[in-house]
Amino acid sequence: MSTPTVKPASENTTTSPQDKPVIGAETAPVSLGEHTRTWAHGMRRHWTPPDLWEHGRPALKDTWLWARYGQHLPDDEQVRLGSRVTAGIRLPFRALLLYLDWVFERDSRLVAALVLVFVVVQAIHPIF
């Protein structure tokens, strides 16, 4: 008969709830303050609008490919399908807004668009 070997406490694989580090405790890998700063920095990065002065927005094709292949998402087909569906809903609105941005980019385009809108309104419901 062989004698059972006893593992030292450092090699023990089972941990009790008291052994797990608690955020804010001295033994925690990250303090509560550091965790909060990291979380707040991530939220600020996520909700800060892009610098449109120096960096343009991605093309519609890039946006569609990003949503379609979903490298930013977990390997769950339902989540990726949801990403494709919401992108399919958002892309026409984004395209419309990008075309409006294109119209507002030059004065000549803006004047031509305003004249066109005025002519259409006059054809549908004459004001004068």
Side-chain angles (χ1 to χ4, degrees):
M1 262 171 87
S2 65
T3 58
T5 58
V6 177
K7 291 183 180 179
S10 63
E11 294 180 17
N12 191 0
T13 57
T14 60
T15 58
S16 65
Q18 293 85 9
D19 294 340
K20 291 183 180 179
V22 178
I23 291 180
E26 292 177 7
T27 59
V30 188
S31 69
L32 179 61
E34 181 64 29
H35 176 72
T36 305
R37 279 189 292 278
T38 303
W39 180 82
H41 177 71
M43 287 294 106
R44 263 192 307 277
R45 263 188 44 231
H46 182 74
W47 290 104
T48 301
D51 180 14
L52 295 177
W53 188 259
E54 296 196 17
H55 305 290
R57 301 300 300 148
L60 291 175
K61 181 179 180 182
D62 294 337
T63 302
W64 171 246
L65 292 175
W66 187 73
R68 182 175 177 197
Y69 294 110
Q71 291 91 358
H72 61 290
L73 298 171
D75 282 334
D76 182 2
E77 191 54 38
Q78 289 182 337
V79 173
R80 291 177 183 224
L81 177 65
S83 176
R84 288 189 293 269
V85 168
T86 57
I89 294 170
R90 284 189 321 256
L91 279 176
F93 293 106
R94 187 160 178 255
L96 174 68
L97 293 174
L98 286 172
Y99 279 119
L100 283 175
D101 179 49
W102 177 78
V103 167
F104 279 91
E105 187 177 31
R106 304 268 191 273
D107 291 337
S108 59
R109 292 180 198 152
L110 180 60
V111 169
L114 290 175
V115 168
L116 180 63
V117 166
F118 181 73
V119 168
V120 168
V121 167
Q122 286 296 313
I124 293 172
H125 185 341
I127 298 173
F128 302 113

